[in-house]
C-alpha cells in the first residue's frame, strides 16, 4: 500500500516562506521513478508545480521557477518543497505525488502521477 503524507502547510503573508514535506512509505516506494508536487486552488484545475526523478533531475513550473525548490532525502524517504517569495496566487492545496513509470518531468507536470497524498493547505495573504 503506497502512502504519501504531506505536512508543513499553513498561512503566511505575501513574501514569506514555507517548506512542505512529504513522508513516503509502502512496498513500492523504492521503485518510484519520480516524485512531485501538484496544487489545486479553489475553482481551478490541478497544476503541476515541481518534479524530481530518481537521478535528481528537476522540472519546475514557470509560475514558480526561481521561487520554489524541490528536493528529496532518500535516507529519510521524504520529499520537500521549499517555497520562497510566496504570492497570494500560490494559495492552494498542495499534493505530494509519485510514479513508477519513466516519463519526462514536463509530462509529469502536465498529466500528473499515479499516486497522490491527501494534500496540505497553503494560504498566502496580501
Amino acid at each position: 500500500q503506497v502512502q504519501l503524507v504531506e505536512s508543513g502547510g499553513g498561512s503566511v503573508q505575501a513574501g514569506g516562506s514555507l517548506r512542505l514535506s512529504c513522508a513516503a512509505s509502502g512496498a513500492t516506494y523504492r521503485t518510484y521513478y519520480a516524485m512531485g508536487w501538484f496544487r489545486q486552488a479553489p475553482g481551478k484545475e490541478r497544476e503541476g508545480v515541481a518534479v524530481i526523478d530518481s537521478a535528481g533531475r528537476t522540472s519546475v513550473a514557470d509560475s514558480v521557477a526561481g521561487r520554489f525548490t524541490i528536493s528529496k532525502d532518500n535516507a529519510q524517504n521524504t520529499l520537500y518543497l521549499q517555497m520562497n517569495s510566496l504570492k497570494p496566487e500560490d494559495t492552494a492545496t498542495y499534493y505530494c505525488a509519485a510514479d513508477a513509470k519513466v516519463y519526462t518531468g514536463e509530462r509529469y507536470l502536465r498529466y500528473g502521477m499515479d499516486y497522490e497524498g491527501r494534500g496540505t493547505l497553503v494560504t498566502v495573504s496580501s
Side-chain angles (χ1 to χ4, degrees):
Q1 182 73 21
V2 172
Q3 288 188 331
L4 301 170
V5 180
E6 304 93 340
S7 62
S11 297
V12 64
Q13 288 190 330
S17 298
L18 282 175
R19 188 176 80 157
L20 304 183
S21 299
C22 172
S25 62
T28 63
Y29 170 73
R30 296 192 183 279
T31 65
Y32 293 168
Y33 176 74
M35 297 186 72
W37 291 96
F38 295 77
R39 68 185 182 184
Q40 188 164 18
K44 294 187 177 181
E45 293 186 353
R46 188 158 294 187
E47 174 189 20
V49 176
V51 170
I52 185 167
D53 70 15
S54 59
R57 292 179 292 246
T58 62
S59 298
V60 181
D62 291 343
S63 58
V64 304
R67 300 187 298 121
F68 290 12
T69 302
I70 187 172
S71 62
K72 62 179 180 175
D73 183 333
N74 290 329
Q76 297 296 324
N77 292 349
T78 303
L79 180 73
Y80 301 101
L81 183 69
Q82 178 66 42
M83 305 185 295
N84 298 328
S85 302
L86 282 161
K87 304 175 181 180
E89 51 263 43
D90 294 319
T91 295
T93 297
Y94 284 72
Y95 299 89
C96 173
D99 205 304
K101 299 186 296 296
V102 180
Y103 290 140
T104 64
E106 289 71 22
R107 190 196 186 283
Y108 283 125
L109 288 176
R110 183 172 183 179
Y111 295 108
M113 293 180 168
D114 282 349
Y115 304 104
E116 198 168 75
R118 292 190 174 185
T120 184
L121 179 62
V122 172
T123 303
V124 184
S125 59
S126 57

